[in-house]
Amino acid sequence: MELEEAKQKFIQAWGTFGSNWGINRTMAQVHALLLISSEPLCADDIMATLKISRGNANMNIRALIDWGLVYKELKPGERREYFIGEKDMWKVVRQIIVHRKKKELEPVLKILEELKDIEGKEEENEEFVKVIKDIQLFSEKADRVLDKFIRSDSSWLMNAFLKMI
Amino acid sequence: MELEEAKQKFIQAWGTFGSNWGINRTMAQVHALLLISSEPLCADDIMATLKISRGNANMNIRALIDWGLVYKELKPGERREYFIGEKDMWKVVRQIIVHRKKKELEPVLKILEELKDIEGKEEENEEFVKVIKDIQLFSEKADRVLDKFIRSDSSWLMNAFLKMI
DNA sequence: TTCTTTTTTCAAAAAAAAATGAAACCTCAT
DNA sequence: ATGAGGTTTCATTTTTTTTTGAAAAAAGAA
């Protein structure tokens, strides 16, 4: 297999993977491209490689910068912006978790908390109460583990993995 | 807050949560409904409560049965099918992990393995090789942890949580 | 300031995903 | 075999998400 072919394959795979995880396919592809590129790339490079429009490229680059997965790099004497991907995988995973936790787990915790208000009143409806409590139990544990993860470095993570297995 | 209102809110929240996780909103809502219902429900009950069509209800009920999150229940002397949700939360989470791991993690592992073939050849392209290796390292660990999780019972999981925090 | 280059925005178009509903299909009781 | 009551399928429609592209805005350079 050619190196270029392999890179292409990786970009496609990462795109598919991303879209399975609620991350827009193009955003994941831009991320993959910057991840495996040793040189900083500009918007036109990304547009050309992924065959996407300028608007699309811009949107997704911004999103990646928001997520802390890509940095802007200014070359002295050059007007256009270049971008580099965060290469530290542990950091990448951490950042993804920070964002997804905020967007997806925290609202659930909030709603579960609200739903507790009713529970007390009606003893009749055990099924409902039990489900809410179980989900809350689980998601609060997940919340804590993720927080720990977010604050930790890769050696902690390695240790945690080892302990679990 | 009324009990019915609370249930409705839970169903909506679970739907939103699901769609953030790559699970179709309606499927998550059907799941939520069956989770908090103490009685088995038939297709018409589900259609009426969620205001969805017969086809849609059928599709999503089947998908939930596939995922092992819902069971068919036949009432003696009754022709129509009733459905009950799996109420054991640990089991629910386990089943979800089994399915998503198969669909989403395993293909990535497979592709990473394929991409290793090229790596050896070209020492020049360190960036690419390193990224692939790092992702592989991480995803293999995740794979093992999830396998362990899938085979374990809730007490193991609790322990693992405690050890990590 | 004015011209040039680059980035950003956003309404409209396209694509993808999900839902509908009616016909086809089962399955059982008669 | 027939029909009633239920389930499944799937072409079509609707909704949602993503992408485009051109105009507007910004950011120097002269």
Side-chain angles (χ1 to χ4, degrees):
Chain A
M1 185 165 8
E2 292 285 326
L3 180 64
E4 276 317 307
E5 189 192 343
K7 286 187 170 184
Q8 207 48 43
K9 198 165 173 179
F10 172 69
I11 291 170
Q12 294 309 326
W14 205 240
T16 305
F17 185 59
S19 75
N20 272 325
W21 282 86
I23 290 153
N24 151 347
R25 173 185 252 74
T26 304
M27 179 169 160
Q29 289 179 339
V30 174
H31 180 223
L33 174 59
L34 289 171
L35 215 48
I36 61 181
S37 155
S38 31
E39 296 300 305
L41 302 179
C42 67
D44 291 270
D45 296 334
I46 293 170
M47 288 162 61
T49 311
L50 302 181
K51 297 189 178 62
I52 59 175
S53 72
R54 185 172 304 282
N56 198 6
N58 185 269
M59 299 274 242
N60 289 113
I61 292 167
R62 294 310 129 194
L64 286 164
I65 291 176
D66 266 4
W67 280 47
L69 299 177
V70 163
Y71 306 108
K72 194 180 285 194
E73 181 158 296
L74 297 174
K75 293 195 179 180
E78 275 232 50
R79 197 129 143 204
R80 79 177 72 183
E81 296 174 330
Y82 285 79
F83 305 97
I84 53 175
E86 170 61 62
K87 296 295 166 64
D88 177 342
M89 258 310 147
W90 301 109
K91 212 165 172 182
V92 167
V93 172
R94 250 207 326 270
Q95 295 286 37
I96 291 173
I97 288 178
V98 168
H99 273 264
R100 300 204 66 188
K101 176 177 177 300
K102 188 170 301 171
K103 181 168 165 244
E104 294 158 24
L105 181 59
E106 286 168 16
V108 171
L109 289 174
K110 191 167 154 287
I111 285 178
L112 291 174
E113 200 50 51
E114 285 172 36
L115 292 179
K116 266 177 120 175
D117 294 349
I118 331 93
E119 291 173 32
K121 292 179 193 162
E122 323 234 4
E123 286 315 319
E124 76 208 52
N125 209 294
E126 290 186 45
E127 212 72 57
F128 183 59
V129 175
K130 185 163 184 337
V131 167
I132 299 297
K133 285 216 173 112
D134 283 352
I135 294 178
Q136 199 169 32
L137 188 68
F138 191 92
S139 49
E140 278 170 357
K141 286 214 177 302
D143 188 60
R144 266 184 239 120
V145 170
L146 293 177
D147 270 341
K148 183 88 184 186
F149 190 137
I150 288 165
R151 283 199 226 86
S152 69
D153 60 17
S154 68
S155 63
W156 176 85
L157 186 63
M158 280 297 207
N159 261 330
F161 269 140
L162 289 177
K163 265 190 225 151
M164 287 182 99
I165 299 172
Chain B
M1 186 166 5
E2 290 286 326
L3 181 64
E4 277 316 308
E5 188 192 342
K7 285 187 171 185
Q8 207 48 43
K9 197 165 176 178
F10 174 69
I11 291 170
Q12 294 309 327
W14 205 239
T16 304
F17 185 59
S19 75
N20 272 326
W21 282 86
I23 289 152
N24 148 350
R25 172 185 253 71
T26 306
M27 179 170 161
Q29 288 180 339
V30 174
H31 179 224
L33 175 59
L34 288 171
L35 214 51
I36 61 181
S37 154
S38 31
E39 295 301 305
L41 303 179
C42 67
D44 291 272
D45 296 334
I46 294 169
M47 288 161 61
T49 311
L50 302 181
K51 297 190 179 61
I52 58 175
S53 72
R54 186 173 302 285
N56 195 9
N58 185 270
M59 298 278 239
N60 287 302
I61 292 167
R62 295 309 132 194
L64 285 164
I65 291 175
D66 266 5
W67 280 47
L69 299 178
V70 162
Y71 307 106
K72 193 181 286 194
E73 181 158 294
L74 297 174
K75 292 195 179 181
E78 275 231 52
R79 197 125 142 208
R80 82 178 69 182
E81 297 173 329
Y82 285 79
F83 306 97
I84 52 174
E86 170 60 62
K87 298 292 168 66
D88 177 342
M89 258 309 147
W90 301 108
K91 214 165 172 181
V92 167
V93 172
R94 253 209 320 273
Q95 295 285 40
I96 291 173
I97 288 179
V98 168
H99 273 262
R100 301 204 67 189
K101 176 176 177 299
K102 188 170 298 167
K103 183 170 165 243
E104 295 158 23
L105 181 59
E106 286 167 17
V108 171
L109 289 174
K110 192 167 153 287
I111 285 178
L112 291 174
E113 199 50 51
E114 286 171 36
L115 292 180
K116 265 177 121 177
D117 295 348
I118 330 93
E119 292 175 29
K121 291 179 195 163
E122 323 233 6
E123 288 313 322
E124 77 209 49
N125 209 294
E126 289 186 46
E127 211 73 55
F128 184 57
V129 175
K130 185 162 185 339
V131 167
I132 299 298
K133 286 215 173 111
D134 283 352
I135 294 178
Q136 199 170 30
L137 187 70
F138 190 90
S139 48
E140 279 171 356
K141 285 214 178 302
D143 188 61
R144 266 183 239 121
V145 170
L146 292 176
D147 269 340
K148 183 89 185 184
F149 189 136
I150 288 165
R151 282 197 227 87
S152 68
D153 60 16
S154 68
S155 64
W156 176 85
L157 186 62
M158 280 297 208
N159 261 329
F161 270 141
L162 289 177
K163 265 190 225 149
M164 288 182 96
I165 298 169

